[in-house]
Amino acid sequence: APMVLLGENAIKSMAPGRFFRDHKGAVNSLDFHHTEDVMVTVGDDDALHLYRTNTGALLKTLYSKKYGCSCVTFTHASQAVVYASKVKAAGPDLRKDHALRYHSLHDNTYLRYFVGHTGQVVNVSMSAKTDQFLSASVDKTIRLWDLRTNQCNGAVRCATTPAVAYDMQGLIFAAATADGEVKLYDSRGYDKGPFNTIQIGGVGGVVDPTTGKLPRVTCAKFSDDGNDLMCVAGGNVYIHSAFAPFAEVMRINVGSETGGSAGGKHFGQEGGGVDLDACWTPDGQYVLSGGADSRVHVWSVRSGRKVTTWQSRHAGIPSVVRWAPGSMMAA
C-alpha cells in the first residue's frame, strides 16, 4: 500500500479516543500488530491485555504471575507474543528469572522459553521478515534467538546495558554496545563484527553533565523506510542517517523543550529518572516522545521543531509511546 504522508494539521487535531484502565499498575510495554487491528499491553501488575484497536474492546486478559512481564512484542501472528520477565525478587536461578517467553494468546500456552540472560531484559526486537529476534539485557549482552528453537543463536558482549533494533527489512540491526556509540551489524553475518559505528553526540562524544559519561542510548529505532536511525540518550533524541557517512541529521533536546532540565535529569534511570521513549510515525517525518511535563509531544524530524503537544496529561512521564501501523492512531 502507498505510504500516506501525515499532515501537521491532522497530527495537531489528534485527541484521546479511549482511556484503558485495566492495568492495576504501570504499563511497562505495548505493541501494535503490523497488519491486524490488535494491540497488546503488559504491566507491572503481571497482567497482559489484548485489545481490538478499531473498537477499543478488551479481547483477553492473561497473567504471568510468577515471573512478571515486560518488553512485549508481537510475532508475525496476531495471537502470539514474545515478552521478557520482570521479577519482583531474585530466585535461585537468574537464568530462569530472566528468561523470555513465547506465548500463544489463542489458547494461553507457552510455546517456548528462551533461557540465557542473567539480568533484566530491557529491549526486544523482532525481525520483520524472519522468525529471528534480539534481546538486550542489563547483563551487558545482546542475544540472538529464533522462535523455532530455544537455543540461543549467538551473543554480542557489550560494555554497557545495550539497546537493539532491527531495520524493517530484517537485513541489519543496530546495537548500542557502549556509551556514546551505536554499531551496525549485518543480521546474516553478525559474527563477523559490526560493519560501521555511529558516534552519538558528535565525534569524540559529548559527556552528559548529569552522569559524567558519554550518552548511553536506551532506545534505538529505524524509520519504516530504513533511511534513518533514531537514538534516545538521556533527554535527547538523535536522528542519524542509516547510510554512510551516517551523519547526525537532527537533535531534539526533549528534556529542556518539555519543561525539564537542560541535562534531562528527568530522563535516564542512572540519574533516578525514567528512560525516555520515542517512536517514528510510519512516514518517517515525525517522532513522538514523552515529556517532562507528563504529556506526549510530536516533533518534526526535518526541522527539529515541535509540531504539537497533545494536551492529555499522564500519571507520570509517558515511558511507552507507539504509533499504530497504517492508522491515524497512537498509544
Side-chain angles (χ1 to χ4, degrees):
M3 174 56 65
V4 176
L5 288 173
L6 298 164
E8 289 195 9
N9 287 337
I11 288 175
K12 289 176 181 176
S13 71
M14 291 176 71
R18 187 174 289 264
F19 294 93
F20 298 102
R21 298 186 173 89
D22 302 294
H23 282 285
K24 305 294 187 284
V27 175
N28 62 47
S29 175
L30 67 87
D31 193 28
F32 288 101
H33 192 264
H34 53 94
T35 55
E36 302 291 325
D37 291 324
V38 287
M39 173 181 76
V40 62
T41 66
V42 298
D44 292 349
D45 58 355
D46 305 333
L48 180 152
H49 297 297
L50 182 70
Y51 297 96
R52 175 76 60 199
T53 52
N54 54 359
T55 63
L58 175 62
L59 300 177
K60 200 160 285 191
T61 297
L62 306 171
Y63 293 93
S64 177
K65 288 290 188 186
K66 187 173 182 183
Y67 293 103
C69 39
S70 65
C71 301
V72 69
T73 181
F74 278 107
T75 62
H76 303 299
S78 62
Q79 290 282 322
V81 295
V82 170
Y83 57 83
S85 308
K86 193 171 185 180
V87 291
K88 307 283 192 290
D93 186 348
L94 289 177
R95 284 158 42 95
K96 192 173 283 188
D97 280 354
H98 300 293
L100 294 119
R101 286 164 178 71
Y102 178 20
H103 195 159
S104 167
L105 308 182
H106 172 67
D107 51 5
N108 194 20
T109 55
Y110 290 111
L111 303 177
R112 201 159 275 118
Y113 297 90
F114 305 96
V115 177
H117 284 298
T118 56
Q120 176 68 49
V121 172
V122 294
N123 191 200
V124 174
S125 181
M126 185 84 208
S127 167
K129 302 294 185 185
T130 71
D131 284 329
Q132 292 180 313
F133 67 98
L134 299 159
S135 58
S137 164
V138 298
D139 66 11
K140 297 184 179 179
T141 65
I142 291 165
R143 290 184 175 269
L144 290 84
W145 310 91
D146 190 301
L147 291 173
R148 296 165 294 185
T149 172
N150 56 12
Q151 297 298 314
C152 179
N153 282 359
V156 177
R157 309 210 177 279
C158 308
T160 189
T161 298
V164 71
Y166 273 111
D167 75 336
M168 289 298 284
Q169 286 69 44
L171 297 175
I172 64 174
F173 66 86
T177 56
D179 292 340
E181 64 182 38
V182 171
K183 295 183 183 295
L184 299 178
Y185 292 81
D186 183 329
S187 58
R188 295 155 301 180
Y190 73 92
D191 50 337
K192 298 182 178 68
F195 64 84
N196 213 294
T197 300
I198 300 174
Q199 301 295 322
I200 304 298
V203 177
V206 178
V207 173
D208 183 336
T210 57
T211 62
K213 299 177 181 177
L214 294 171
R216 181 171 76 82
V217 173
T218 54
C219 166
K221 291 171 186 168
F222 286 93
S223 57
D224 282 10
D225 61 11
N227 288 336
D228 295 296
L229 174 66
M230 172 182 67
C231 299
V232 180
N236 288 309
V237 174
Y238 302 88
I239 310 291
H240 280 259
S241 168
F243 297 99
F246 306 100
E248 182 181 309
V249 294
M250 188 52 61
R251 183 184 306 192
I252 304 162
N253 188 331
V254 175
S256 62
E257 292 270 350
T258 61
S261 65
K265 68 174 178 165
H266 293 78
F267 301 112
Q269 292 185 2
E270 289 178 354
V274 300
D275 284 340
L276 176 66
D277 193 40
C279 73
W280 292 94
T281 54
D283 61 358
Q285 300 300 304
Y286 307 97
V287 164
L288 275 60
S289 80
D293 57 358
S294 299
R295 293 183 167 94
V296 173
H297 301 260
V298 186
W299 315 86
S300 166
V301 171
R302 302 303 157 216
S303 70
R305 66 185 175 79
K306 188 190 298 183
V307 173
T308 191
T309 300
W310 290 336
Q311 290 303 312
S312 179
R313 288 196 69 150
H314 297 260
I317 294 173
S319 57
V320 187
V321 288
R322 295 287 183 275
W323 191 283
S327 300
M328 276 294 291
M329 184 189 306

